Amino acid sequence: MKKKWFAAALAGTLLAVLLLNGCTSAQTAKRLRFGVAGEGGVYHAFGELYAALENETDNGTVELKTTAGSAANLRLLTGEYLQLAIAQGDLAQDAYDQTGIFADEEETRGFGAVAALYTEACQIVVRADADIQSVEDLQGKTVSIGAEESGSEQNALQILAAYGLNDKLVDTVNLNYEDAAAQLKAGKVDAIFITAGAPSPVLTELAGECGIRLLNVDGAAAQRLTSAYSAYSAVTLPAGTYPGQDTDVQTVGVKAVLLASDELPAKQVQKLTELLFSGREGMEEQLGIPLDAEQDAVEGVGIPFHAGAAAYYKAAGITVD
């Protein structure tokens, strides 16, 4: 009888523990893997700052994961390896809609937006001593368009096409930002495309080493881009953004978007969203890049918001699609 009573009591205790743990896990995922791309970029720098804030709370521990960038982050988020990630808004929309480079993939959803973080400018850079004054002048030149399957590559090909240029008219190569900057400095490539928050540390350093010129993306070509792709918006890089830049530069840009897995509980994502905006000014100061305020953070995203983020915006009186 005692053995039966003890077994029943033990079973009841175990059940209570399981139920308690279940309730806890339903509210908070303790470990959050955060895809932030390579070191030296704005994604990684933002990730470090945001993780430091989150790790001081009881809302889960963030572990940064270095990845190949937006496309890789989206695939890892869909595959449930990552719980948080940053990606370009245009690629996030392609993944969600299964278009572009994600057209042949079976499942590329399972995530929602938390917030647009800042605008990434499409920056086309040549040496200051080059005879290249416009995008049209890239015909016959060797141009780095970013790493393979990167957001920069997609933006570069779309911008070149808007000017009537294709891979038969331009010799395109795939290089990451640091390698591209080194090869431009050495004269091995004639121009580089970089989609990043401005000022980009890579370009600031390059400007100090060899001098750079940024090309405008404007006029009819810019209109074609913004009409064909909803993720693009007009961007002005003010004079002085980079050393030696004495005039404003007109270009286009896309949003960098913070994303969360649908597997994360809504309450936890609501707290993550609250933390983002409560710490915005401090992170902005350290990054040197303006971060979007709450009202702007719901603009230009293009995919549904995570239920937890949507709850945060609703409580703040902000409408999300």
Side-chain angles (χ1 to χ4, degrees):
M1 181 66 68
K2 288 183 179 180
K3 288 183 179 180
K4 289 183 179 180
W5 178 88
F6 178 77
L10 178 61
T13 301
L14 289 173
L15 178 59
V17 169
L18 289 171
L19 288 173
L20 179 60
N21 288 341
C23 290
T24 301
S25 62
Q27 296 299 319
T28 304
K30 294 299 184 185
R31 183 186 179 199
L32 304 170
R33 289 186 291 261
F34 187 4
V36 291
E39 294 185 16
V42 179
Y43 284 12
H44 202 284
F46 171 86
E48 289 179 329
L49 295 172
Y50 187 59
L53 292 176
E54 173 63 15
N55 291 344
E56 293 179 357
T57 75
D58 60 356
N59 193 45
T61 300
V62 173
E63 177 185 350
L64 295 188
K65 292 295 180 181
T66 299
T67 73
S70 292
N73 283 348
L74 289 158
R75 292 188 176 107
L76 292 169
L77 198 57
T78 298
E80 299 181 14
Y81 174 74
L82 298 176
Q83 287 73 51
L84 296 170
I86 307 176
Q88 284 186 201
D90 52 344
L91 285 182
Q93 189 168 351
D94 279 347
Y96 198 85
D97 295 338
Q98 292 184 278
T99 55
I101 62 173
F102 300 96
D104 298 326
E105 300 187 21
E106 292 182 3
E107 180 56 56
T108 49
R109 292 191 177 183
F111 59 85
V114 175
L117 298 175
Y118 57 89
T119 298
E120 299 187 87
C122 299
Q123 300 164 76
I124 311 172
V125 185
V126 301
R127 288 178 58 116
D129 56 5
D131 60 355
I132 301 169
Q133 302 294 331
S134 67
V135 177
E136 290 93 340
D137 292 339
L138 296 179
Q139 183 170 337
K141 306 297 185 182
T142 301
V143 179
S144 170
I145 57 175
E148 189 173 357
E149 283 204 341
S150 66
S152 289
E153 179 187 47
Q154 175 162 287
N155 300 147
L157 294 175
Q158 290 170 348
I159 290 169
L160 289 171
Y163 282 90
L165 299 174
N166 55 34
D167 58 5
K168 294 181 180 179
L169 299 173
V170 178
D171 181 15
T172 60
V173 294
N174 291 107
L175 298 170
N176 66 36
Y177 293 166
E178 292 185 350
D179 290 344
Q183 292 206 21
L184 183 69
K185 179 183 175 182
K188 294 181 179 179
V189 300
D190 299 299
I192 60 178
F193 278 78
I194 290 182
T195 300
S200 161
V202 170
L203 295 184
T204 298
E205 182 177 352
L206 182 63
E209 292 175 345
C210 69
I212 62 173
R213 177 186 307 119
L214 280 78
L215 305 183
N216 288 300
V217 178
D218 56 7
Q223 290 178 1
R224 282 192 285 272
L225 287 165
T226 55
S227 296
Y229 306 102
S230 61
Y232 283 117
S233 61
V235 174
T236 299
L237 299 177
T241 299
Y242 295 105
Q245 179 198 339
D246 55 9
T247 61
D248 292 352
V249 173
Q250 305 302 322
T251 186
V252 293
V254 295
K255 292 286 189 178
V257 182
L258 179 61
L259 306 164
S261 168
D262 288 344
E263 296 300 312
L264 286 181
K267 287 290 185 183
Q268 185 171 18
V269 175
Q270 186 172 357
K271 290 181 180 179
L272 287 165
T273 311
E274 181 180 1
L275 180 68
L276 171 66
F277 294 111
S278 65
R280 181 177 69 88
E281 291 185 2
M283 290 190 290
E284 184 177 76
E285 183 177 349
Q286 293 182 71
L287 285 172
I289 292 174
L291 298 177
D292 287 349
E294 292 165 311
Q295 188 65 53
D296 297 325
V298 300
E299 301 296 331
V301 173
I303 65 171
F305 281 80
H306 191 286
Y312 173 83
Y313 293 117
K314 182 178 180 181
I318 299 170
T319 302
V320 298
D321 293 332

